[in-house]
Amino acid sequence: MSAGTPSAPGAKGVRGGLVAGGVHGPGRLRDLTAIVLDALENAARARGGPLPAGGPEAVALSTRALCAPVLPEKGVGPEAALGDLVRAVAEGAADPADPACVAHLHCPPLAVAVAADLAGAALNPSMDSWDQAPAAGVIEELTTAALARLVHPTAPAPDALITSGGTESNLVALLLARERAAQGATSPSLRVVTGANAHHSVHRAAWILGLPAPTVVACRDGRIDPAALDRALAALAGAPVLVVATAGTTDEGRVDPLPEIVRIAERHAAQLHVDAAYGGPLLFSERLAPQLAGLEHAASVTFDLHKLGWQPVAAGVLAVADVGMLAPLSLRADYLNADDDTEAGLPDLLGRSIRTTRRPDALKMAVTFRALGRRGLGELVEHCVRTAHEFGEAVDARPALRRRPGGIGISTVLFRPTVADALPDEAGDAVVAAVRRTLLAEGRAVLGRAVAEDGDGRLRLWLKATLLHPSAATADLLPLLDLVTAAADRAATEAAADRAVSEGPSAEGTDAPAAERLSP
């Protein structure tokens, strides 16, 4: 190299050894990724189950032992830091790839999506201006166009935004509805009407936006009661209204009666938003898509792919029936989308989100879509739905367990041990709660919980299995039922003993209740 010639970017030394991008970065990243992959594999074997045993205190103790101090005076080096911290987070993980991890809408991500996410992280485009994300912006445009057309197949000009998930999608949906309602200068504030089954984010969004608290209508079997909705809208006659329906409730996986809701909303001149964060991917399957009939008539639709879409968090979408609905998000900042740049042909990305800096989350979605196609994605969705029905049949076949009446909701099964039914309601629910916490403390299963009506109309506590694993077979899930049955027998025996003692001549000096003793 001649005198006075600057060294090339990425040359050996500090500059070439720190960053993930450029010409030399991927080589360094390859070495470090090997450490990560080894730590993930070894930690999964060491954990030996869906989550670590011992409960919060044990996890905190072992994690701190590997990670503290997080900010030492002198660094330990990238290899040691990666090895220790990845080992800590993996050994202490609740791993949705384990068939016994079924508590939440928390999916195991596909390997191809995770690999795409790595590329996005290494390149680190920021999706708020073209000069930070030239090709990533095009990929996002292609991805959102495909999703918008999937949700609104007959709309003239549908569009979609990438969001951080259902909470942000619902917030933006209410924001856009508020702005549409405000176009009439004399209009009162937008009123939101939703079911008792709605996600909490609908209520939070109304609060953030300064809207009146949503009007909550009654549900039947976990779904909006159309007659109750009709009465609620009649009582709000004259006010601009947004009806928020749900396609895939968090607790039960129920889909509101969308065709009826569409007709009622149209009759009362109300707008309609559907929170299909869970159920939206049913559209990938030609066989299952009819369960969402009526969705195409909604003004906006929340659609998550980090639930029944197997994407790493975050992968949210808000689809709208007409691109013009997004106009209120338009914003001008000279350092990001100057007028003359836009006029010269540089795409304006700033109005594509309420956020400024955004990750290229569309990349992992696009890679997954290209890899599997709509048919392949539909087959995975169908697998999860079929497995849930088979799991429900397995529950029905066991006298020690019973399923909540009312059928399977998408891929969610609610069930409880029958020994809990032999106890008074409160004591029975305590046994159900104790079963869940016992299996968590032992690191053997991650089950959810939900309060829902029983066949007699009374509210009871149920164990919840949300089945999102794209390849786990029903046989992989059956040991979970054995674990529940055994834990329930222990909890019920202790609860009965405690009750007998408390009802005896003297309850003084008795131990704590069984449910409390079983809590970690």
Side-chain angles (χ1 to χ4, degrees):
M1 183 178 295
S2 61
T5 302
S7 58
K12 290 183 178 180
V14 172
R15 287 177 297 169
L18 287 179
V19 299
V23 175
H24 300 284
R28 178 59 174 150
L29 186 59
R30 184 177 293 110
D31 296 336
L32 296 174
T33 302
I35 296 173
V36 170
L37 296 177
D38 286 345
L40 289 174
E41 187 173 15
N42 294 334
R45 290 197 181 98
R47 187 178 61 245
L51 79 168
E57 291 185 6
V59 173
L61 185 63
S62 60
T63 303
R64 291 190 180 103
L66 286 169
C67 300
V70 169
L71 185 61
E73 189 65 29
K74 182 179 179 181
V76 300
E79 291 82 3
L82 270 175
D84 288 345
L85 271 78
V86 174
R87 174 188 166 191
V89 75
E91 287 186 359
D95 185 1
D98 189 296
C101 190
V102 294
H104 303 287
L105 289 164
H106 178 202
C107 70
L110 299 177
V112 69
V114 174
D117 218 20
L118 172 63
L123 293 167
N124 206 31
S126 181
M127 306 300 298
D128 51 296
S129 68
W130 182 87
D131 58 354
Q132 298 177 88
V138 178
I139 290 173
E140 180 172 285
E141 180 183 357
L142 293 169
T143 305
T144 53
L147 288 167
R149 186 58 64 190
L150 182 70
V151 175
H152 293 104
T154 61
D159 201 353
L161 303 176
I162 302 297
T163 71
S164 60
T167 295
E168 182 184 337
S169 292
N170 288 339
L171 174 64
V172 176
L174 266 65
L175 168 65
L176 297 176
R178 184 192 70 180
E179 295 307 295
R180 292 195 298 275
Q183 291 176 2
T186 60
S187 297
S189 178
L190 176 73
R191 299 302 302 269
V192 177
V193 177
T194 194
N197 59 354
H199 193 261
H200 70 85
S201 62
V202 175
H203 297 266
R204 179 177 287 186
W207 168 69
I208 290 173
L209 295 170
L211 299 174
T215 297
V216 177
V217 301
C219 292
R220 289 188 307 185
D221 193 29
R223 307 160 79 228
I224 284 180
D225 180 352
L229 176 63
D230 194 26
R231 291 192 296 270
L233 295 183
L236 293 171
V241 175
L242 176 70
V243 175
V244 178
T246 306
T249 58
T250 302
D251 276 350
E252 301 181 61
R254 302 294 187 199
V255 177
D256 283 334
L258 298 179
E260 293 176 84
I261 291 173
V262 168
R263 289 192 291 270
I264 293 169
E266 288 178 348
R267 187 162 63 246
H268 291 278
Q271 304 176 56
L272 175 63
H273 169 68
V274 178
D275 180 357
Y278 179 9
L282 294 174
L283 294 176
F284 290 126
S285 164
E286 290 186 5
R287 183 173 66 83
L288 299 175
Q291 294 184 26
L292 300 184
L295 186 74
E296 69 276 11
H297 297 292
S300 56
V301 176
T302 290
F303 187 117
D304 270 9
L305 288 162
H306 55 234
K307 293 181 173 65
L308 199 56
W310 311 286
Q311 299 297 296
V313 174
V317 177
L318 176 67
V320 295
D322 186 84
V323 63
M325 294 168 55
L326 302 177
L329 300 180
S330 296
L331 182 67
R332 186 67 60 192
D334 193 61
Y335 47 88
L336 293 174
N337 59 351
D339 287 334
D340 57 319
D341 278 349
T342 303
E343 291 168 3
L346 295 185
D348 178 4
L349 305 182
L350 193 56
R352 303 293 299 173
S353 177
I354 59 173
R355 293 172 287 158
T356 303
T357 301
R358 293 189 294 118
R359 298 182 76 252
D361 288 319
L363 173 60
K364 60 200 176 194
M365 303 180 198
V367 169
T368 303
F369 293 173
R370 285 274 290 175
L372 299 178
R374 181 175 178 177
R375 185 176 300 173
L377 287 163
E379 289 173 355
L380 296 186
V381 174
E382 290 172 6
H383 170 82
C384 292
V385 172
R386 182 171 57 252
T387 302
H389 283 268
E390 292 173 355
F391 183 78
E393 292 170 0
V395 171
D396 294 340
R398 298 191 177 217
L401 302 170
R402 71 178 179 92
R403 189 160 48 88
R404 180 190 177 276
I408 304 296
I410 302 184
S411 64
T412 299
V413 182
L414 299 188
F415 65 105
R416 61 186 263 146
T418 54
V419 293
D421 297 338
L423 299 168
D425 286 354
E426 186 175 345
D429 285 352
V431 166
V432 176
V435 167
R436 175 178 175 271
R437 289 194 294 268
T438 296
L439 296 179
L440 285 174
E442 294 173 351
R444 305 179 77 182
V446 189
L447 281 161
R449 55 183 288 160
V451 175
E453 284 188 358
D454 205 342
D456 58 6
R458 289 191 292 184
L459 292 176
R460 287 189 170 89
L461 182 64
W462 304 84
L463 296 171
K464 178 175 69 171
T466 306
L467 305 180
L468 301 180
H469 201 298
S471 59
T474 305
D476 299 321
L477 299 164
L478 297 183
L480 180 61
L481 300 181
D482 295 330
L483 292 173
V484 169
T485 301
D489 287 342
R490 297 197 306 270
T493 298
E494 294 196 29
D498 283 339
R499 187 176 174 211
V501 170
S502 66
E503 292 177 352
S506 173
E508 293 181 5
T510 58
D511 294 334
E516 183 179 327
R517 293 203 307 273
L518 286 167
S519 301

